[in-house]
Amino acid sequence: MLRLETIICTFSVLSVAARADFKARNCSDVREACIGKGFSFAHVPLQEIPGEHLRVCPQGNTCCTQEMEDKFGQQSKQDFDNLVDEISHELRSTFVSRHKRFDEFFLELLENTERSLNEMFVRTYGKPYMQNSEVFENLFAELKRYYTGGNVNLEEMLNDFWSRLLERMFTLLNSQYVITEDYLECISKYTDELKPFGDVPRKLKAQVTRAFIAARTFVQGLSVGREVAQRVSKVSSSPACIRALTKMLYCPFCQGMPAVKPCKNYCLNVVKGCLANQADLDPEWNLYIDAMLLVAQRLEGPFNIESVMEPIDVKISEAIMNMQDNSAQVSYRVFQGCGQPKPAGMTRSTRGVSDVFNARFRPYSPEERPTTAAGTSLDRLVVDIKEKLKLSKKFWSILPEAMCMEDRVTAGNASDDECWNGHTKGRYFPEVQKDGLTNQLNNPEVGVDITRPDTFIRQQIMALRVMTNKLKNAYNGNDIYFQDSSDEGSGSGSGSGCTEVCPTDTDVVGAATEAPVVEADRRGPVDDSAPLRAPSVALPTMLALSALALHRQWR
């Protein structure tokens, strides 16, 4: 009898324990959580079921069907992509909006400058200017073509502008003569040594080239940053990454703990494994940002395109005045070098430019100055972008930290024992891995093949590397497209030619490159005894005869 009572008592205790255990494994919280997240499952168990069918989550008793785990995997990838997109949104929008603002500013600055010059020159010089305005139109067209990415050598283009202006001015100054195309070609040979426009072309060439190189390269840099940020933010998740994300984000549902969030260190290991290639972008990204900041400093100082372009009408007019003041001397020296042109005859106007082109240029008063381009100033734009650029440094390496914040994914400052560790609710023991692909060899959460870098990310790294090199050259006033393009020893093409740190004074132009002067041609304009002929052949002839004699002696 006593034995029977013992058996009955034991059965009663087990029954109570079974009922208590059944209550603890109820899946109603999971059902409500799934509905709250917008899931629509054909079936959610009312209580835990055996989990042998699961491929990602723990296979003990579970609240998940195979359908649920599959949909959790799909949702994990979408959640991850959305989170990367959300965190990188400000970075991407910064580069998109600032590129647009800088581009609009520079283009509008060019348009305003050309319009202002045209209006003032029409008012000041009248018909002579209007008859030759295409020279100035071509100047601004080429500047715009260079800025927008055209293959324009700024130094050569500016030299050509002054040569064309000299030809037009000389023709106006000497309208009593017939000036042929051949004669104009002869005149252009003496532009450098005659210096009919004073020192203005030399100064302006240095200022314009380095300012335009900096402006164009900086906007190109913003464009590259925009493209890299947009492309890298579109994450291509590996199957191993998706499995790890599913396990981290949704396996707590299967364990009947939908409210439990992942441990922070657990989250960091998962995200660092998934973003291993993106983290490798960070060193090159930081170098690129540093180079952008250096060029931004130039835009604020000696390479400020706004301070160069706004007074360009004044500077060109100053050059015209220099030629007018020295017109008699210039004409005399050209006649020496190129010969006396034929008289035009009585049918042609014998008035010189002094009769019709004698207006003195009157600079703009402040109230006449055009409104600032794009409703802002370059200084304000640069101050703004510098702050944004500084904030974007190390973005790709700190992305895991940003994603694993408490309000986004993890349990945050909750007790170490109250978070999901990938298996159950409890402390997460593995150490956090370092950043980058090679450091994921022993990542406990994501299987990463460190021998196969993402080729797409490597392409973005190379794009940043190329852009950084261009920015460094622009900082020194050089355009790498035209470096070493001349075999005449004229420096490194467009740019100031300085190799370390350029002078900060916008009027210091000693580093600017200039075309060499041919010594044989130098003698004509300064020789008062006879017109200049073709370059002397005496020296080449002597050298040839010497070579012939040596050749015969050798034979």
Side-chain angles (χ1 to χ4, degrees):
M1 187 70 178
L2 179 61
R3 184 177 179 184
L4 179 62
E5 289 178 354
T6 302
I7 293 173
I8 294 173
C9 181
T10 302
F11 179 77
S12 299
V13 170
L14 291 173
S15 298
V16 171
R19 286 196 298 272
D21 192 41
F22 174 79
K23 183 178 180 180
R25 295 179 180 179
N26 190 291
C27 295
S28 59
D29 290 345
V30 175
R31 178 190 295 270
E32 292 177 5
C34 289
I35 294 173
K37 279 187 168 289
F39 287 107
S40 178
F41 296 124
H43 172 66
V44 177
L46 295 176
Q47 64 186 44
E48 289 184 332
I49 59 176
E52 291 86 355
H53 56 278
L54 299 181
R55 291 172 294 180
V56 178
C57 297
Q59 292 186 332
N61 290 344
T62 181
C63 287
C64 288
T65 63
Q66 182 66 64
E67 177 205 16
M68 292 173 67
E69 188 182 55
D70 290 343
K71 287 190 176 181
F72 284 155
Q74 298 169 12
Q75 188 63 41
S76 295
K77 183 181 186 310
Q78 185 175 335
D79 289 349
F80 184 68
D81 292 347
N82 291 343
L83 192 55
V84 173
D85 184 77
E86 174 193 332
I87 296 172
S88 64
H89 174 75
E90 184 175 356
L91 177 74
R92 290 180 285 114
S93 63
T94 291
F95 279 91
V96 169
S97 62
R98 270 49 178 194
H99 174 268
K100 183 173 184 291
R101 289 178 66 183
F102 270 90
D103 191 45
E104 289 176 347
F105 175 85
F106 289 139
L107 290 173
E108 192 170 326
L109 177 66
L110 273 173
E111 292 173 2
N112 286 350
T113 304
E114 182 177 11
R115 183 173 59 252
S116 299
L117 182 144
N118 182 68
E119 291 173 355
M120 180 52 70
F121 275 35
V122 167
R123 184 165 55 184
T124 304
Y125 297 128
K127 188 176 180 181
Y129 164 72
M130 290 185 286
Q131 290 175 336
N132 297 278
S133 60
E134 71 273 11
V135 176
F136 300 91
E137 292 169 1
N138 290 339
L139 169 65
F140 283 97
E142 288 297 282
L143 287 173
K144 183 175 181 179
R145 190 162 75 89
Y146 173 83
Y147 169 73
T148 54
N151 187 22
V152 178
N153 188 312
L154 285 176
E155 287 194 357
E156 291 180 2
M157 184 273 292
L158 289 169
N159 289 339
D160 186 65
F161 164 74
W162 292 111
S163 295
R164 299 291 80 77
L165 186 58
L166 172 60
E167 293 172 3
R168 300 300 180 94
M169 288 287 296
F170 187 86
T171 301
L172 286 171
L173 286 163
N174 296 276
S175 57
Q176 68 273 29
Y177 296 106
V178 177
I179 308 297
T180 65
E181 288 297 323
D182 289 341
Y183 199 87
L184 289 176
E185 186 176 347
C186 179
I187 293 172
S188 65
K189 296 177 182 178
Y190 302 114
T191 304
D192 286 334
E193 60 180 291
L194 290 175
K195 290 186 169 47
F197 301 110
D199 208 29
V200 174
R202 186 176 69 89
K203 290 183 177 181
L204 202 58
K205 180 167 65 175
Q207 295 166 356
V208 168
T209 52
R210 64 192 190 182
F212 268 80
I213 289 167
R216 181 173 85 161
T217 308
F218 191 77
V219 171
Q220 288 176 344
L222 289 172
S223 176
V224 168
R226 175 193 65 192
E227 295 303 315
V228 168
Q230 288 178 336
R231 290 169 180 169
V232 178
S233 297
K234 304 298 181 183
V235 181
S236 178
S237 301
S238 67
C241 169
I242 296 173
R243 287 175 57 88
L245 290 170
T246 305
K247 184 178 179 183
M248 178 179 76
L249 297 174
Y250 287 102
C251 283
F253 284 63
C254 297
Q255 295 295 99
M257 300 179 288
V260 178
K261 289 188 173 184
C263 303
K264 182 173 182 178
N265 287 353
Y266 173 40
C267 174
L268 287 174
N269 275 340
V270 171
V271 175
K272 287 191 177 195
C274 288
L275 296 179
N277 284 282
Q278 281 77 0
D280 281 348
L281 186 79
D282 209 54
E284 203 64 48
W285 175 266
N286 293 335
L287 292 174
Y288 153 77
I289 295 296
D290 287 339
M292 286 287 289
L293 289 169
L294 286 174
V295 176
Q297 291 176 10
R298 290 297 202 212
L299 291 175
E300 286 181 307
F303 298 1
N304 187 317
I305 192 173
E306 189 174 26
S307 65
V308 170
M309 292 305 293
E310 282 191 349
I312 199 171
D313 47 9
V314 179
K315 295 177 181 180
I316 293 176
S317 184
E318 178 188 340
I320 292 173
M321 292 304 135
N322 285 334
M323 175 137 185
Q324 284 186 251
D325 291 342
N326 300 294
S327 60
Q329 182 183 1
V330 170
S331 296
Y332 174 70
R333 296 177 69 187
V334 169
F335 292 160
Q336 284 185 311
C338 299
Q340 189 86 8
K342 295 180 180 180
M346 298 303 294
T347 58
R348 185 179 172 97
S349 172
T350 58
R351 289 190 302 169
V353 71
S354 58
D355 296 317
V356 294
F357 202 21
N358 58 2
R360 283 289 173 181
F361 184 79
R362 178 175 63 84
Y364 289 112
S365 60
E367 60 272 12
E368 292 177 313
R369 277 286 178 193
T371 55
T372 307
T376 186
S377 70
L378 183 58
D379 287 342
R380 285 199 291 270
L381 287 176
V382 172
V383 168
D384 169 72
I385 191 61
K386 282 172 65 178
E387 292 303 313
K388 298 293 184 182
L389 289 171
K390 290 174 184 176
L391 292 174
S392 71
K393 284 197 71 172
K394 299 184 179 180
F395 175 83
W396 305 104
S397 61
I398 64 175
L399 185 56
E401 284 282 351
M403 296 182 71
C404 291
M405 290 176 60
E406 179 179 2
D407 58 341
R408 291 194 171 108
V409 174
T410 66
N413 294 325
S415 169
D416 290 342
D417 297 325
E418 297 296 318
C419 57
W420 173 252
N421 63 17
H423 303 281
T424 185
K425 183 169 68 172
R427 187 183 299 270
Y428 181 77
F429 291 100
E431 64 178 17
V432 177
Q433 304 299 297
K434 296 181 179 179
D435 299 315
L437 183 64
T438 58
N439 289 316
Q440 306 311 309
L441 178 62
N442 298 313
N443 191 310
E445 309 305 335
V446 187
V448 181
D449 186 352
I450 66 170
T451 66
R452 299 183 62 184
D454 188 305
T455 55
F456 181 76
I457 297 295
R458 303 300 139 174
Q459 290 172 358
Q460 307 314 306
I461 290 174
M462 184 56 64
L464 289 173
R465 190 168 296 159
V466 170
M467 192 66 243
T468 299
N469 185 44
K470 291 177 66 175
L471 288 162
K472 289 179 179 179
N473 276 275
Y475 174 76
N476 290 320
N478 299 322
D479 188 338
I480 61 173
Y481 286 125
F482 297 105
Q483 284 189 352
D484 302 322
S485 62
S486 171
D487 58 359
E488 297 178 338
S490 60
S492 53
S494 293
S496 68
C498 45
T499 56
E500 293 298 330
V501 178
C502 291
T504 57
D505 183 357
T506 57
D507 288 330
V508 176
V509 292
T513 61
E514 293 188 349
V517 177
V518 180
E519 290 296 331
D521 289 346
R522 187 187 293 272
R523 295 158 53 188
V526 297
D527 183 2
D528 295 338
S529 61
L532 181 69
R533 306 301 183 203
S536 173
V537 297
L539 182 58
T541 302
M542 291 175 63
L543 290 172
L545 290 173
S546 300
L548 180 60
L550 288 171
H551 178 66
R552 288 175 176 173
Q553 183 178 1
W554 177 258
R555 293 179 62 188

